[in-house]
Amino acid sequence: MSDALEDDALWDEFHRVVNMTSQELATWLRVQDSGERTEPLPDEAGAPIGQHVLAILQKRRMDLTEDDVRVMHEVVDLVMSQADPANEPEPESAEETDRRHRLMTLGHDPLKATR
């Protein structure tokens, strides 16, 4: 019974911190990975963790694998350690912009959190 409650809590927390839709994330991963000369295939764009988050967003909860659950834990931990949900500032500096881009790769747009 506690596993089901933990699964429910993780599912809810993951979808709370991942505030980008699958379409927004897919677009961001393609933009982030595009270069002057080459661009990867759309389903191969972006960091592996970003691709895994995208795959999770496109799944039903009952279809999650153990690897998906591991990534969900990792994403929640990373976003919570890097984001301040109470006060997400506008990116004013290159450092803030880099931080925002790192979080967006995980499916969390800090600017979207303030809207």
Side-chain angles (χ1 to χ4, degrees):
M1 177 81 168
S2 68
D3 285 342
L5 292 176
E6 288 175 25
D7 290 346
D8 288 343
L10 176 61
W11 179 261
D12 292 343
E13 187 70 3
F14 177 80
H15 283 87
R16 186 184 67 76
V17 300
V18 175
N19 63 0
M20 296 170 70
T21 65
S22 58
Q23 184 177 11
E24 290 169 332
L25 180 55
T27 299
W28 168 250
L29 294 174
R30 284 192 304 273
V31 166
Q32 182 190 28
D33 227 15
S34 63
E36 285 184 26
R37 296 178 186 224
T38 62
E39 188 170 321
L41 295 172
D43 60 340
E44 296 175 5
I49 193 164
Q51 283 294 321
H52 204 139
V53 170
L54 183 59
I56 292 168
L57 288 174
Q58 296 169 340
K59 288 185 176 185
R60 296 178 306 171
R61 189 168 154 228
M62 65 176 46
D63 296 330
L64 295 176
T65 65
E66 287 182 27
D67 197 38
D68 294 335
V69 171
R70 180 192 56 77
V71 168
M72 290 170 70
H73 278 290
E74 183 179 350
V75 167
V76 168
D77 291 344
L78 286 168
V79 170
M80 297 304 288
S81 70
Q82 294 183 31
D84 180 8
N87 185 21
E88 291 290 355
E90 294 287 328
E92 298 173 6
S93 66
E95 182 178 315
E96 278 300 308
T97 300
D98 288 346
R99 177 181 154 276
R100 178 179 182 229
H101 290 175
R102 282 192 310 274
L103 287 167
M104 287 175 68
T105 299
L106 301 172
H108 177 81
D109 184 350
L111 298 183
K112 192 174 182 181
T114 61
R115 294 182 198 158

